[in-house]
Each structure stands twice: as structure tokens, then as C-alpha cells.
Amino acid sequence: EDIWYSSKSGNDWGSAKNLGFPINDKGNQATTAIQPDGQYVYFALPEREDGVGNFDLYYSRLEGIRWSDPKNLGPVVNSAYWDHNPAISSDGRTLIFSSNRPGSMGGSDLWMTKKDNNGQWSAPVNLGPNINSSDGEMAPFLSLDNKTLYFSSNTEPSVGGFDIFVSQYNGDGWSMRKNIGEPYNSPSDEYFITIPAANDTAYISSNRT
């Protein structure tokens, strides 16, 4: 697997192009999150020499027109388990991701880490039972308001297999997850919702017919 990109002109998307080296290499690259200012990209890489676990979170910084070599977020953020599906806040200070590390309530949970003024990431915290269930949570997306969290889960109530849910941060914590319903969800699986800054379109990955 490689990371690819496409540029939009008017209403049309251009042909997909490989992002190339140094982000892509002979291994697998997966599930990207681009900081809204376009200067940082976060992604998951498996079993690299500098890795901590099975899948780790990495980032790369745009230096002119070239992306820097991927850098592991380190053992404070990554675990010996499966750390995947990053979502970055609009200010680049909050990272939400999926992990099956100890302390998870189900197959995989959503966890959160925050970056301080010195650029150091905090130890991740579990987002709790309003977000996570005894099933699996993955593919988070944090809206530009940094208060609206979308993610995929196969918990109930369910339209299909994995559905997209939403939760709002109210200052004290996250509201109880809510299935966004049909027609957005289907009897098939829906993942990886992305909502651009204009907030008038949503892109969803689905294996529906």
C-alpha cells in the first residue's frame, strides 16, 4: 500500500498520483491525516526498524516542495500494539487515533494525545465509554471546530456492519455517540468520513453496491 493524492480543479478530481519517496517506500503506508495548514501529514506504518509496535504513528513535515523523512511519534504515543487511523485537530495540537492497546474497552478504541508548547506529545488517554464500546471504534475525523468528532464503529444501534457515528465535545467531555443514520450509513460498511473546510460536502468510504 502507498499513499496517493489527487488535485481538484473546479468540480473534477485529477488522476491519482503517488506521493512518492520518502513517505512511500517498499513497505506499507496507511491511513493519512493532513493538518489543515498543509504542513504536516500523519500516517501509520507497520514494523519498521524504528517502530515501537505492530503499527505505529508517524508524521512528515513539508519542507518547501518536499516531504521530510517519516518520523516516529515515539514510545510515549505509540505502544507495542496496533496504533492506527490518526486524526489531527485544526491547530495541530490534538491527535486522535485508534488502538487496541491495554485499557481499550473492545477490539479497538479511540485514544487522544495532546502536544504542549515544547512540541512534546502527552501520554494518550482513552476517550471513554461515550465514544468507545465493547465492539470496535476506528477511522476518526475531527472537524475544524475541534468539537465534532466523527468515527466508525460496529456497535449498536447499527444500520449495517461499520457505521459512522458522531459526538460533540461540550467542555466537560464527549457526548454519547450517535449513529448519523441513513442514507449516509447503509447495510454495508462505512468508514473514513472527511469534511472539507467549506462544511458543505462529506466524503465517505463504503463497500456498498
Side-chain angles (χ1 to χ4, degrees):
E1 294 176 327
D2 278 0
I3 295 171
W4 296 66
Y5 74 95
S6 176
S7 299
K8 191 176 185 180
S9 177
N11 295 322
D12 299 323
W13 289 98
S15 299
K17 297 180 181 179
N18 193 296
L19 196 57
F21 186 82
I23 291 181
N24 292 323
D25 59 21
K26 293 181 180 180
N28 287 325
Q29 292 76 37
T31 57
T32 61
I34 299 178
Q35 197 166 295
D37 63 9
Q39 298 304 298
Y40 289 85
V41 60
Y42 295 84
F43 45 94
L45 300 177
E47 300 178 342
R48 288 170 61 101
E49 290 184 1
D50 61 348
V52 178
N54 295 329
F55 248 104
D56 283 3
L57 298 174
Y58 287 75
Y59 74 92
S60 181
R61 183 167 59 91
L62 188 63
E63 299 174 341
I65 60 173
R66 181 186 181 278
W67 291 101
S68 67
D69 291 339
K71 185 173 182 180
N72 194 298
L73 285 179
V76 173
V77 175
N78 289 308
S79 70
Y81 295 82
W82 186 87
D83 301 306
H84 213 270
N85 296 170
I88 190 69
S89 63
S90 60
D91 60 3
R93 303 291 290 270
T94 300
L95 187 72
I96 296 174
F97 62 96
S98 181
S99 179
N100 63 347
R101 65 182 62 198
S104 296
M105 301 176 187
S108 61
D109 279 11
L110 297 188
W111 294 72
M112 179 176 66
T113 176
K114 289 183 174 289
K115 186 164 64 173
D116 63 22
N117 292 332
N118 296 319
Q120 301 300 309
W121 292 98
S122 66
V125 297
N126 190 291
L127 288 189
N130 282 359
I131 299 290
N132 296 311
S133 70
S134 58
D135 297 300
E137 283 69 45
M138 59 178 293
F141 175 79
L142 192 58
S143 292
L144 287 178
D145 63 6
N146 294 333
K147 298 179 180 178
T148 308
L149 177 65
Y150 296 90
F151 58 95
S152 294
S153 176
N154 59 348
T155 193
E156 296 294 334
S158 174
V159 177
F162 273 87
D163 283 0
I164 294 172
F165 288 73
V166 64
S167 175
Q168 297 280 340
Y169 188 77
N170 57 22
D172 296 322
W174 295 96
S175 65
M176 188 64 189
R177 59 185 177 270
K178 181 179 179 182
N179 191 306
I180 66 171
E182 298 179 279
Y184 320 105
N185 291 315
S186 74
S188 300
D189 294 318
E190 280 71 44
Y191 309 95
F192 300 110
I193 187 171
T194 298
I195 302 174
N199 204 38
D200 59 359
T201 303
Y203 297 93
I204 300 172
S205 179
S206 176
N207 62 355
R208 67 182 71 186
T209 54

